[in-house]
Amino acid sequence: MGTLQELRALGIPLAVDDLGTGYSSLAYLKRLPLNRLKINASCVENLTHDSDDDVIVRAIFALGDRLGLEMLAGGVETQEQADCLRQVGCSEVQGFLFGRPVPSESLATAWA
């Protein structure tokens, strides 16, 4: 990462080649019989504090919406993040804002 930052500081343009290929291929979005996309917590972590993250999340939601997919976001820890996700059309969220992980034994007794 440091080397890439140094190259960019020298004015050398950088590019990502073959974005969306391999196991994370965007082509899977049209091939697989999906109903839902889940955004990883790493995309949500700096939401509302980093304009680049805001743009990325909005783009992912626009893509999901155009493909007719439900959207789920993980890693929601603040009300500010939840509000931002609601504004872009996120139908479901999960994260520490709503509850902490619990041992499976606790779930068994809670549902009894």
Side-chain angles (χ1 to χ4, degrees):
M1 194 60 144
T3 301
L4 291 175
Q5 291 171 340
E6 290 174 22
L7 290 171
R8 187 171 176 181
L10 292 171
I12 297 171
L14 303 173
V16 173
D17 188 30
D18 296 332
L19 176 66
T21 60
Y23 289 111
S24 64
S25 173
L26 295 175
Y28 284 124
L29 294 178
K30 68 179 188 175
R31 280 192 247 155
L32 297 174
L34 303 174
N35 299 91
R36 175 181 296 158
L37 287 179
K38 180 179 179 188
I39 294 181
N40 188 279
S42 64
C43 294
V44 175
E45 182 178 9
N46 292 312
L47 193 61
T48 72
H49 298 291
D50 183 330
S51 61
D52 290 340
D53 285 345
D54 293 354
V55 169
I56 290 168
V57 167
R58 289 179 189 282
I60 293 169
F61 275 95
L63 176 65
D65 183 56
R66 295 292 294 221
L67 292 171
L69 300 171
E70 297 170 8
M71 300 299 295
L72 168 66
V76 179
E77 296 184 1
T78 68
Q79 188 61 51
E80 191 176 31
Q81 292 167 333
D83 292 342
C84 182
L85 290 163
R86 186 178 302 115
Q87 288 175 357
V88 298
C90 185
S91 58
E92 296 182 62
V93 294
Q94 64 185 50
F96 290 165
L97 177 63
F98 306 100
R100 297 278 179 177
V102 295
S104 58
E105 301 81 33
S106 298
L107 288 176
T109 58
W111 293 98

